[in-house]
Amino acid sequence: MHLSLRHIFLCLSVALNALCAGAMFTFPLISPILGRHCKLTQPQLTTVVLAGMMSQYTIAALVGWIIDNRGPHCCSLASALLFATGFGGFAWEIRSTPNDILEPVYGAFYRLTFCFFLVGLGTVFAYFSALFAASKSFPNHLGLASGASMGLFGLSPLFFSVIATSCFTDVNTGLLDVRRYTTFLGSATFIVYIAGFIFLQGVPRMVGSISHQEMQAVADDSMIVETTPLLQTSRSSSFSKPSELSVSELLRESDFWLLVLFAVLIMGMCEMVISNIGTIVASLPATSGTRQSILESSTAFQVNLIAASNTLTRISVGPLADFVSPIAAYLPTGIVFPTKHRISRFAFLAGPSLLLALTCAWMVYGVEHQGQLWLLSLGTGLSYSSVFTILPSLISSLWGMQNMGRNFGLMMYAPFIGTPTFSYLYAFVSARYTPAGIGICSGRACWEPTFAFSIVSSFVAFTISCIMWRRWKGRI
């Protein structure tokens, strides 16, 4: 009974940690109001949100090490303190800025940037605490465990967006009360992650593996395919169990750098859209009604659509990958798959990259008004979540599970390069077509060159995924 109750609280805490980790991604609801209230330019707004997006990746490897050696509960405590400070400081700065200023308040931009930097740090601590608490507690169901926690993380922006529009939006003006909303975020996340610090204690620090007896049982049950080629002596070396590499050895792996380049291109483009969907909406004419009312409702709709597609994809891709691309078990005689291996897991990278190329092509050649942006939000959400869901299992399959947190953290430096590259490309193109230099850019020219560049980068990523698919055919 005690063990059952402990697992209930563990699963509940993992779910809440994942669900509250993505509050930062509701920034598009805030950015148009923040730009008008604090008189920030598009490059400044991009810098504020990038401070949060980028700070996640600066310490990803360190957070992975903490997960492996100290446990997810320590990360939950860190996120509680960081969220409370970051969101609380954000609310204080907005409250201190008068509504009728004509010029930006000196230092406000830097303080807002620092506050969102702290929020980004809190996000990676929160995300890792949920993801690896689930993965390390259920190591034999990595796809389901990581998919469920990532699914709730993907649902987080939708969850907070609904709260923002229903509880903190003025019914008369349709404007979000940013100060009250960020105050709520700081308080709610502090409570959730302090609870996580309590209930996530006891999660295994190192990821376990399937025992030899379990693997032998799988073999005895004849639930494997392709046994003849996999058991040939001439191929035994190429199908050996992945070794646990040191950091220096990992950095000498060509597969690691191919995967990094893929993540730079795909995650960078997706996070640019996620961070700036509010101003992309504002750049286009509304389909009906007053511009202000349509702008606010349309921005919320795009955020919700990204979050919903994010969630559904993360929930479905993990179990689907486990079914069609099972994780291999390694016996002395060769590879054993618990179920039939139908397709490579790299297909879950190739598909999203091709979808993203088509999405960007739609932006360049098709979009004329806000009502057509739903394809951008849907394509971005599906592509981003598919890649993020499949990466942990790919990394563990390529380089083992012992240092899974560290290796995943190292991979997260890829968006550290890609996100600012795509985001500042968008910001400076947008600023170029903003007449007064302060305010929101209007027209297709604000983002058309950025999406044209993204078409090319998506096809490069697709080529990389095909190369790795061919290289690891029949094994991953």
Side-chain angles (χ1 to χ4, degrees), residues 181-238:
Y181 175 58
T182 51
T183 300
F184 161 77
L185 291 179
S187 303
T189 52
F190 180 78
I191 294 171
V192 166
Y193 292 103
I194 287 295
F197 171 68
I198 298 172
F199 295 118
L200 294 183
Q201 298 189 43
V203 173
R205 294 181 183 178
M206 296 297 182
V207 178
S209 57
I210 301 175
S211 67
H212 178 77
Q213 290 81 7
E214 289 173 316
M215 291 188 295
Q216 190 62 54
V218 173
D220 293 341
D221 288 340
S222 300
M223 296 176 63
I224 56 176
V225 295
E226 306 175 35
T227 51
T228 302
L230 291 179
L231 298 179
Q232 289 177 358
T233 305
S234 62
R235 299 185 67 183
S236 60
S237 61
S238 62

Short mmCIF file of all heavy atoms in Angstrom, two decimals, residues 181-238:
data_model
loop_
_atom_site.label_atom_id
_atom_site.label_comp_id
_atom_site.label_asym_id
_atom_site.label_seq_id
_atom_site.Cartn_x
_atom_site.Cartn_y
_atom_site.Cartn_z
N TYR A 181 -0.87 38.29 -14.47
CA TYR A 181 -0.62 36.97 -15.04
C TYR A 181 0.75 36.45 -14.65
O TYR A 181 0.90 35.29 -14.22
CB TYR A 181 -0.76 37.04 -16.56
CG TYR A 181 -0.41 35.76 -17.28
CD1 TYR A 181 -1.09 34.58 -16.99
CD2 TYR A 181 0.59 35.73 -18.24
CE1 TYR A 181 -0.78 33.40 -17.64
CE2 TYR A 181 0.91 34.56 -18.91
CZ TYR A 181 0.23 33.40 -18.60
OH TYR A 181 0.55 32.23 -19.25
N THR A 182 1.79 37.28 -14.75
CA THR A 182 3.13 36.83 -14.39
C THR A 182 3.27 36.63 -12.88
O THR A 182 4.04 35.77 -12.44
CB THR A 182 4.19 37.82 -14.90
OG1 THR A 182 3.85 39.16 -14.49
CG2 THR A 182 4.29 37.77 -16.41
N THR A 183 2.52 37.39 -12.09
CA THR A 183 2.50 37.16 -10.64
C THR A 183 1.94 35.78 -10.32
O THR A 183 2.47 35.03 -9.49
CB THR A 183 1.68 38.23 -9.92
OG1 THR A 183 2.25 39.52 -10.17
CG2 THR A 183 1.65 37.99 -8.41
N PHE A 184 0.87 35.43 -11.01
CA PHE A 184 0.27 34.11 -10.85
C PHE A 184 1.26 33.01 -11.24
O PHE A 184 1.40 32.00 -10.54
CB PHE A 184 -1.00 34.00 -11.69
CG PHE A 184 -1.43 32.58 -11.96
CD1 PHE A 184 -2.07 31.84 -10.98
CD2 PHE A 184 -1.18 32.00 -13.20
CE1 PHE A 184 -2.45 30.51 -11.23
CE2 PHE A 184 -1.56 30.69 -13.46
CZ PHE A 184 -2.19 29.94 -12.47
N LEU A 185 1.95 33.20 -12.37
CA LEU A 185 2.90 32.19 -12.83
C LEU A 185 4.00 31.95 -11.80
O LEU A 185 4.36 30.80 -11.51
CB LEU A 185 3.53 32.61 -14.17
CG LEU A 185 2.63 32.61 -15.40
CD1 LEU A 185 3.40 33.08 -16.62
CD2 LEU A 185 2.04 31.22 -15.63
N GLY A 186 4.53 33.02 -11.22
CA GLY A 186 5.58 32.88 -10.22
C GLY A 186 5.10 32.11 -9.00
O GLY A 186 5.82 31.24 -8.48
N SER A 187 3.90 32.41 -8.53
CA SER A 187 3.37 31.76 -7.32
C SER A 187 3.03 30.30 -7.58
O SER A 187 3.39 29.41 -6.79
CB SER A 187 2.12 32.51 -6.84
OG SER A 187 2.40 33.86 -6.59
N ALA A 188 2.34 30.02 -8.69
CA ALA A 188 1.90 28.65 -8.99
C ALA A 188 3.08 27.71 -9.22
O ALA A 188 3.11 26.59 -8.70
CB ALA A 188 0.97 28.65 -10.20
N THR A 189 4.05 28.15 -9.99
CA THR A 189 5.19 27.28 -10.28
C THR A 189 6.04 27.04 -9.03
O THR A 189 6.58 25.95 -8.85
CB THR A 189 6.07 27.89 -11.39
OG1 THR A 189 6.40 29.25 -11.06
CG2 THR A 189 5.35 27.86 -12.73
N PHE A 190 6.15 28.03 -8.16
CA PHE A 190 6.91 27.84 -6.91
C PHE A 190 6.28 26.71 -6.09
O PHE A 190 7.00 25.82 -5.59
CB PHE A 190 6.94 29.13 -6.11
CG PHE A 190 7.69 29.01 -4.81
CD1 PHE A 190 9.08 29.04 -4.80
CD2 PHE A 190 7.02 28.87 -3.61
CE1 PHE A 190 9.79 28.92 -3.61
CE2 PHE A 190 7.70 28.76 -2.41
CZ PHE A 190 9.09 28.78 -2.41
N ILE A 191 4.98 26.70 -5.95
CA ILE A 191 4.29 25.66 -5.17
C ILE A 191 4.47 24.29 -5.80
O ILE A 191 4.78 23.30 -5.12
CB ILE A 191 2.80 26.01 -5.03
CG1 ILE A 191 2.62 27.29 -4.20
CG2 ILE A 191 2.03 24.86 -4.40
CD1 ILE A 191 1.20 27.82 -4.19
N VAL A 192 4.29 24.21 -7.12
CA VAL A 192 4.38 22.92 -7.82
C VAL A 192 5.77 22.30 -7.69
O VAL A 192 5.91 21.10 -7.39
CB VAL A 192 4.01 23.09 -9.30
CG1 VAL A 192 4.42 21.86 -10.12
CG2 VAL A 192 2.52 23.34 -9.46
N TYR A 193 6.81 23.10 -7.85
CA TYR A 193 8.16 22.53 -7.86
C TYR A 193 8.74 22.32 -6.48
O TYR A 193 9.64 21.49 -6.31
CB TYR A 193 9.07 23.39 -8.75
CG TYR A 193 8.67 23.27 -10.20
CD1 TYR A 193 7.95 24.29 -10.84
CD2 TYR A 193 8.92 22.11 -10.91
CE1 TYR A 193 7.54 24.14 -12.15
CE2 TYR A 193 8.51 21.95 -12.22
CZ TYR A 193 7.82 22.97 -12.84
OH TYR A 193 7.39 22.82 -14.14
N ILE A 194 8.22 23.01 -5.48
CA ILE A 194 8.58 22.65 -4.11
C ILE A 194 7.98 21.28 -3.78
O ILE A 194 8.63 20.43 -3.14
CB ILE A 194 8.07 23.72 -3.11
CG1 ILE A 194 8.93 24.98 -3.21
CG2 ILE A 194 8.11 23.18 -1.68
CD1 ILE A 194 10.39 24.80 -2.79
N ALA A 195 6.75 21.04 -4.22
CA ALA A 195 6.15 19.72 -4.05
C ALA A 195 6.95 18.66 -4.80
O ALA A 195 7.13 17.53 -4.31
CB ALA A 195 4.70 19.74 -4.54
N GLY A 196 7.45 19.01 -5.99
CA GLY A 196 8.28 18.08 -6.75
C GLY A 196 9.56 17.73 -6.02
O GLY A 196 10.02 16.59 -6.06
N PHE A 197 10.15 18.70 -5.34
CA PHE A 197 11.36 18.44 -4.55
C PHE A 197 11.09 17.39 -3.48
O PHE A 197 11.94 16.55 -3.18
CB PHE A 197 11.83 19.74 -3.89
CG PHE A 197 12.93 19.55 -2.89
CD1 PHE A 197 14.19 19.16 -3.29
CD2 PHE A 197 12.69 19.76 -1.54
CE1 PHE A 197 15.21 18.97 -2.35
CE2 PHE A 197 13.69 19.58 -0.60
CZ PHE A 197 14.95 19.18 -1.01
N ILE A 198 9.89 17.39 -2.94
CA ILE A 198 9.53 16.43 -1.89
C ILE A 198 9.24 15.04 -2.46
O ILE A 198 9.77 14.03 -2.00
CB ILE A 198 8.30 16.94 -1.10
CG1 ILE A 198 8.64 18.26 -0.40
CG2 ILE A 198 7.83 15.90 -0.09
CD1 ILE A 198 7.44 18.95 0.24
N PHE A 199 8.43 14.99 -3.50
CA PHE A 199 7.91 13.70 -3.98
C PHE A 199 8.80 13.00 -5.00
O PHE A 199 8.61 11.81 -5.26
CB PHE A 199 6.51 13.89 -4.55
CG PHE A 199 5.49 14.31 -3.53
CD1 PHE A 199 4.83 15.53 -3.65
CD2 PHE A 199 5.20 13.50 -2.45
CE1 PHE A 199 3.90 15.92 -2.71
CE2 PHE A 199 4.27 13.88 -1.50
CZ PHE A 199 3.62 15.10 -1.63
N LEU A 200 9.77 13.72 -5.60
CA LEU A 200 10.65 13.07 -6.56
C LEU A 200 11.90 12.48 -5.92
O LEU A 200 12.75 11.92 -6.61
CB LEU A 200 11.06 14.05 -7.67
CG LEU A 200 9.95 14.54 -8.59
CD1 LEU A 200 10.50 15.43 -9.68
CD2 LEU A 200 9.17 13.38 -9.19
N GLN A 201 12.04 12.60 -4.62
CA GLN A 201 13.16 11.97 -3.95
C GLN A 201 12.99 10.46 -3.98
O GLN A 201 11.90 9.94 -3.80
CB GLN A 201 13.26 12.46 -2.50
CG GLN A 201 13.50 13.96 -2.41
CD GLN A 201 13.82 14.42 -1.01
OE1 GLN A 201 14.59 13.78 -0.30
NE2 GLN A 201 13.25 15.55 -0.60
N GLY A 202 14.07 9.78 -4.23
CA GLY A 202 14.01 8.33 -4.33
C GLY A 202 14.02 7.80 -5.75
O GLY A 202 14.14 6.59 -5.97
N VAL A 203 13.89 8.71 -6.75
CA VAL A 203 14.00 8.27 -8.15
C VAL A 203 15.43 7.81 -8.41
O VAL A 203 16.38 8.46 -7.98
CB VAL A 203 13.64 9.43 -9.11
CG1 VAL A 203 13.93 9.04 -10.56
CG2 VAL A 203 12.17 9.80 -8.95
N PRO A 204 15.63 6.65 -9.08
CA PRO A 204 16.99 6.17 -9.35
C PRO A 204 17.84 7.22 -10.05
O PRO A 204 17.38 7.89 -10.97
CB PRO A 204 16.76 4.95 -10.26
CG PRO A 204 15.37 4.52 -9.96
CD PRO A 204 14.61 5.77 -9.63
N ARG A 205 19.09 7.36 -9.59
CA ARG A 205 19.97 8.37 -10.19
C ARG A 205 20.50 7.91 -11.54
O ARG A 205 20.73 8.72 -12.42
CB ARG A 205 21.14 8.66 -9.24
CG ARG A 205 20.69 9.33 -7.95
CD ARG A 205 21.88 9.62 -7.06
NE ARG A 205 21.47 10.18 -5.78
CZ ARG A 205 22.30 10.50 -4.79
NH1 ARG A 205 23.59 10.28 -4.93
NH2 ARG A 205 21.84 11.00 -3.67
N MET A 206 20.76 6.63 -11.68
CA MET A 206 21.26 6.10 -12.93
C MET A 206 20.16 5.30 -13.61
O MET A 206 19.40 4.60 -12.95
CB MET A 206 22.47 5.18 -12.71
CG MET A 206 23.67 5.91 -12.13
SD MET A 206 24.30 7.19 -13.24
CE MET A 206 25.70 7.78 -12.31
N VAL A 207 20.09 5.41 -14.92
CA VAL A 207 19.08 4.66 -15.67
C VAL A 207 19.43 3.19 -15.65
O VAL A 207 20.55 2.80 -15.95
CB VAL A 207 19.00 5.15 -17.13
CG1 VAL A 207 17.98 4.35 -17.89
CG2 VAL A 207 18.65 6.62 -17.15
N GLY A 208 18.47 2.39 -15.30
CA GLY A 208 18.68 0.95 -15.30
C GLY A 208 18.60 0.40 -16.70
O GLY A 208 18.36 1.08 -17.67
N SER A 209 18.79 -0.90 -16.82
CA SER A 209 18.69 -1.54 -18.13
C SER A 209 17.98 -2.87 -17.96
O SER A 209 17.85 -3.41 -16.86
CB SER A 209 20.09 -1.77 -18.73
OG SER A 209 20.86 -2.54 -17.84
N ILE A 210 17.53 -3.43 -19.04
CA ILE A 210 16.85 -4.72 -19.00
C ILE A 210 17.86 -5.78 -18.60
O ILE A 210 18.98 -5.82 -19.12
CB ILE A 210 16.26 -5.05 -20.38
CG1 ILE A 210 15.26 -3.96 -20.77
CG2 ILE A 210 15.60 -6.41 -20.40
CD1 ILE A 210 14.70 -4.14 -22.16
N SER A 211 17.48 -6.62 -17.66
CA SER A 211 18.39 -7.64 -17.15
C SER A 211 18.67 -8.68 -18.21
O SER A 211 17.93 -8.85 -19.18
CB SER A 211 17.79 -8.31 -15.92
OG SER A 211 16.64 -9.06 -16.28
N HIS A 212 19.76 -9.44 -18.00
CA HIS A 212 20.11 -10.48 -18.95
C HIS A 212 19.01 -11.54 -19.01
O HIS A 212 18.70 -12.07 -20.08
CB HIS A 212 21.44 -11.12 -18.54
CG HIS A 212 21.85 -12.26 -19.44
ND1 HIS A 212 22.39 -12.06 -20.68
CD2 HIS A 212 21.76 -13.62 -19.28
CE1 HIS A 212 22.65 -13.22 -21.26
NE2 HIS A 212 22.27 -14.18 -20.42
N GLN A 213 18.42 -11.85 -17.84
CA GLN A 213 17.34 -12.84 -17.82
C GLN A 213 16.15 -12.37 -18.64
O GLN A 213 15.53 -13.15 -19.38
CB GLN A 213 16.91 -13.11 -16.38
CG GLN A 213 17.95 -13.86 -15.54
CD GLN A 213 19.03 -12.95 -15.03
OE1 GLN A 213 18.94 -11.74 -15.19
NE2 GLN A 213 20.06 -13.54 -14.44
N GLU A 214 15.80 -11.07 -18.52
CA GLU A 214 14.67 -10.54 -19.28
C GLU A 214 14.95 -10.58 -20.77
O GLU A 214 14.09 -10.92 -21.57
CB GLU A 214 14.36 -9.11 -18.83
CG GLU A 214 13.75 -9.04 -17.45
CD GLU A 214 13.61 -7.61 -16.99
OE1 GLU A 214 14.56 -6.84 -17.19
OE2 GLU A 214 12.57 -7.26 -16.42
N MET A 215 16.17 -10.23 -21.14
CA MET A 215 16.51 -10.25 -22.55
C MET A 215 16.51 -11.68 -23.09
O MET A 215 16.08 -11.94 -24.21
CB MET A 215 17.88 -9.61 -22.76
CG MET A 215 17.90 -8.11 -22.51
SD MET A 215 19.45 -7.32 -22.97
CE MET A 215 20.58 -8.08 -21.83
N GLN A 216 16.98 -12.62 -22.25
CA GLN A 216 17.00 -14.01 -22.69
C GLN A 216 15.58 -14.53 -22.86
O GLN A 216 15.29 -15.30 -23.77
CB GLN A 216 17.77 -14.87 -21.68
CG GLN A 216 18.04 -16.29 -22.18
CD GLN A 216 18.91 -16.28 -23.43
OE1 GLN A 216 19.98 -15.69 -23.46
NE2 GLN A 216 18.40 -16.89 -24.49
N ALA A 217 14.67 -14.08 -21.96
CA ALA A 217 13.28 -14.50 -22.07
C ALA A 217 12.67 -14.00 -23.37
O ALA A 217 11.89 -14.70 -24.02
CB ALA A 217 12.47 -13.96 -20.89
N VAL A 218 13.03 -12.77 -23.74
CA VAL A 218 12.55 -12.25 -25.01
C VAL A 218 13.03 -13.10 -26.17
O VAL A 218 12.30 -13.44 -27.10
CB VAL A 218 13.02 -10.79 -25.20
CG1 VAL A 218 12.68 -10.30 -26.60
CG2 VAL A 218 12.38 -9.89 -24.15
N ALA A 219 14.30 -13.51 -26.09
CA ALA A 219 14.86 -14.34 -27.15
C ALA A 219 14.18 -15.70 -27.20
O ALA A 219 13.89 -16.25 -28.27
CB ALA A 219 16.36 -14.50 -26.94
N ASP A 220 13.95 -16.30 -26.00
CA ASP A 220 13.33 -17.62 -25.93
C ASP A 220 11.91 -17.61 -26.47
O ASP A 220 11.42 -18.63 -26.96
CB ASP A 220 13.32 -18.12 -24.48
CG ASP A 220 14.74 -18.40 -23.98
OD1 ASP A 220 15.64 -18.55 -24.83
OD2 ASP A 220 14.93 -18.46 -22.74
N ASP A 221 11.22 -16.48 -26.31
CA ASP A 221 9.84 -16.39 -26.79
C ASP A 221 9.76 -16.18 -28.29
O ASP A 221 8.67 -16.07 -28.85
CB ASP A 221 9.10 -15.23 -26.09
CG ASP A 221 8.81 -15.55 -24.64
OD1 ASP A 221 8.83 -16.75 -24.28
OD2 ASP A 221 8.58 -14.59 -23.87
N SER A 222 10.93 -16.07 -28.93
CA SER A 222 10.99 -15.91 -30.39
C SER A 222 10.25 -14.68 -30.87
O SER A 222 9.65 -14.68 -31.94
CB SER A 222 10.42 -17.17 -31.08
OG SER A 222 11.16 -18.31 -30.71
N MET A 223 10.34 -13.61 -30.08
CA MET A 223 9.68 -12.36 -30.48
C MET A 223 10.65 -11.47 -31.21
O MET A 223 10.70 -10.27 -30.99
CB MET A 223 9.12 -11.66 -29.24
CG MET A 223 8.03 -12.43 -28.54
SD MET A 223 7.48 -11.60 -27.04
CE MET A 223 6.82 -10.09 -27.74
N ILE A 224 11.50 -12.04 -32.03
CA ILE A 224 12.50 -11.26 -32.72
C ILE A 224 12.42 -11.56 -34.21
O ILE A 224 11.91 -12.59 -34.64
CB ILE A 224 13.93 -11.55 -32.20
CG1 ILE A 224 14.24 -13.05 -32.29
CG2 ILE A 224 14.08 -11.09 -30.77
CD1 ILE A 224 15.65 -13.39 -31.88
N VAL A 225 12.96 -10.65 -34.95
CA VAL A 225 12.98 -10.80 -36.40
C VAL A 225 14.39 -10.54 -36.88
O VAL A 225 15.24 -10.07 -36.14
CB VAL A 225 12.01 -9.81 -37.08
CG1 VAL A 225 10.58 -10.14 -36.70
CG2 VAL A 225 12.34 -8.39 -36.71
N GLU A 226 14.64 -10.85 -38.13
CA GLU A 226 15.93 -10.61 -38.76
C GLU A 226 17.05 -11.29 -38.00
O GLU A 226 18.17 -10.79 -37.91
CB GLU A 226 16.23 -9.10 -38.85
CG GLU A 226 15.13 -8.31 -39.52
CD GLU A 226 15.41 -6.83 -39.48
OE1 GLU A 226 16.59 -6.47 -39.57
OE2 GLU A 226 14.47 -6.05 -39.35
N THR A 227 16.76 -12.46 -37.35
CA THR A 227 17.76 -13.09 -36.51
C THR A 227 18.95 -13.60 -37.31
O THR A 227 20.09 -13.53 -36.85
CB THR A 227 17.14 -14.26 -35.74
OG1 THR A 227 16.45 -15.11 -36.65
CG2 THR A 227 16.16 -13.75 -34.70
N THR A 228 18.70 -14.12 -38.49
CA THR A 228 19.80 -14.72 -39.24
C THR A 228 20.89 -13.73 -39.59
O THR A 228 22.05 -13.92 -39.25
CB THR A 228 19.27 -15.40 -40.52
OG1 THR A 228 18.32 -16.38 -40.15
CG2 THR A 228 20.41 -16.02 -41.29
N PRO A 229 20.57 -12.57 -40.20
CA PRO A 229 21.65 -11.63 -40.51
C PRO A 229 22.26 -11.01 -39.26
O PRO A 229 23.44 -10.73 -39.24
CB PRO A 229 20.96 -10.56 -41.36
CG PRO A 229 19.51 -10.67 -41.05
CD PRO A 229 19.30 -12.12 -40.78
N LEU A 230 21.48 -10.81 -38.20
CA LEU A 230 22.01 -10.16 -37.02
C LEU A 230 22.96 -11.06 -36.24
O LEU A 230 23.81 -10.59 -35.50
CB LEU A 230 20.88 -9.72 -36.09
CG LEU A 230 20.00 -8.59 -36.60
CD1 LEU A 230 18.92 -8.27 -35.59
CD2 LEU A 230 20.84 -7.35 -36.87
N LEU A 231 22.84 -12.38 -36.40
CA LEU A 231 23.66 -13.30 -35.64
C LEU A 231 24.88 -13.77 -36.42
O LEU A 231 25.63 -14.59 -35.93
CB LEU A 231 22.82 -14.51 -35.21
CG LEU A 231 21.63 -14.19 -34.28
CD1 LEU A 231 20.87 -15.46 -33.94
CD2 LEU A 231 22.12 -13.52 -33.02
N GLN A 232 25.06 -13.30 -37.61
CA GLN A 232 26.23 -13.70 -38.38
C GLN A 232 27.49 -13.15 -37.76
O GLN A 232 27.54 -12.00 -37.34
CB GLN A 232 26.11 -13.20 -39.82
CG GLN A 232 25.03 -13.94 -40.63
CD GLN A 232 24.90 -13.38 -42.02
OE1 GLN A 232 25.57 -12.42 -42.38
NE2 GLN A 232 24.05 -13.99 -42.82
N THR A 233 28.50 -13.98 -37.68
CA THR A 233 29.76 -13.57 -37.07
C THR A 233 30.39 -12.41 -37.80
O THR A 233 30.97 -11.51 -37.19
CB THR A 233 30.75 -14.76 -37.06
OG1 THR A 233 30.12 -15.85 -36.42
CG2 THR A 233 32.03 -14.39 -36.36
N SER A 234 30.29 -12.37 -39.09
CA SER A 234 30.92 -11.31 -39.86
C SER A 234 30.35 -9.95 -39.57
O SER A 234 30.97 -8.94 -39.86
CB SER A 234 30.79 -11.60 -41.36
OG SER A 234 29.41 -11.63 -41.73
N ARG A 235 29.15 -9.88 -38.95
CA ARG A 235 28.53 -8.60 -38.70
C ARG A 235 28.45 -8.29 -37.20
O ARG A 235 27.85 -7.31 -36.81
CB ARG A 235 27.11 -8.57 -39.28
CG ARG A 235 27.07 -8.77 -40.76
CD ARG A 235 25.67 -8.61 -41.31
NE ARG A 235 25.21 -7.25 -41.18
CZ ARG A 235 23.99 -6.86 -41.52
NH1 ARG A 235 23.13 -7.72 -41.99
NH2 ARG A 235 23.61 -5.60 -41.37
N SER A 236 29.03 -9.15 -36.38
CA SER A 236 28.89 -8.98 -34.95
C SER A 236 29.49 -7.69 -34.45
O SER A 236 28.98 -7.07 -33.54
CB SER A 236 29.54 -10.17 -34.22
OG SER A 236 30.92 -10.25 -34.54
N SER A 237 30.59 -7.25 -35.01
CA SER A 237 31.23 -6.03 -34.52
C SER A 237 30.40 -4.80 -34.82
O SER A 237 30.30 -3.89 -34.01
CB SER A 237 32.63 -5.89 -35.15
OG SER A 237 32.49 -5.80 -36.55
N SER A 238 29.79 -4.77 -36.00
CA SER A 238 29.01 -3.59 -36.36
C SER A 238 27.68 -3.53 -35.64
O SER A 238 27.03 -2.50 -35.63
CB SER A 238 28.78 -3.55 -37.88
OG SER A 238 28.04 -4.67 -38.29
#
